[in-house]
Amino acid sequence: DVQLQASGGGLVQAGGSLRLSCATSGFTFDDYAIGWFRQAPGKDREGLSCIDNSFGNKYYINSVKGRFTISSDNAKKTVYLQINGLIPEDTAVYFCAAVASEYSSSYTPEIYDYWGQGTLVTVSS
């Protein structure tokens, strides 16, 4: 079975940091890219960052560059999202998802093949 398990969310004060993890299994990790998305209440799901596990290419949306860092441990088949300087607007459920590496620069949720269950990040002001 394909599994993506997102974890690491929690309640944090503004200015703090979190590292989210996405542990994967059941598919060939190196053939896929892993993207991070978030969905705040009443808002659409938003793509944030993606890493291509084949070549290590990393992508970020402009609004998170400098605060978010994506990385992967191919041996552990786990992708991380380090978030620094958290702001209340970062409050959302964060999801990881897998897509074939050739689509790694896309944040269109519909093309992602596999999704994790999400981890809640709450930032207090």
Side-chain angles (χ1 to χ4, degrees), residues 29-52:
F29 189 76
D30 290 353
D31 289 344
Y32 282 80
I34 304 295
W36 282 99
F37 295 76
R38 68 184 177 190
Q39 188 164 19
K43 294 190 176 181
D44 292 336
R45 192 164 295 191
E46 175 187 31
L48 303 169
S49 181
C50 189
I51 185 166
D52 172 4

Side-chain angles (χ1 to χ4, degrees), residues 5-81:
Q5 182 77 31
S7 62
L11 174 63
V12 64
Q13 287 190 331
S17 298
L18 281 175
R19 189 177 79 156
L20 307 183
S21 299
C22 177
T24 74
S25 63
F27 61 93
T28 304
F29 189 76
D30 290 353
D31 289 344
Y32 282 80
I34 304 295
W36 282 99
F37 295 76
R38 68 184 177 190
Q39 188 164 19
K43 294 190 176 181
D44 292 336
R45 192 164 295 191
E46 175 187 31
L48 303 169
S49 181
C50 189
I51 185 166
D52 172 4
N53 294 319
S54 295
F55 299 103
N57 297 324
K58 302 177 183 180
Y59 305 91
Y60 301 92
I61 61 170
N62 287 337
S63 60
V64 305
K65 286 180 181 177
R67 288 199 304 123
F68 289 28
T69 302
I70 195 169
S71 62
S72 69
D73 184 330
N74 286 38
K76 294 183 178 179
K77 299 182 180 181
T78 299
V79 172
Y80 305 97
L81 186 69

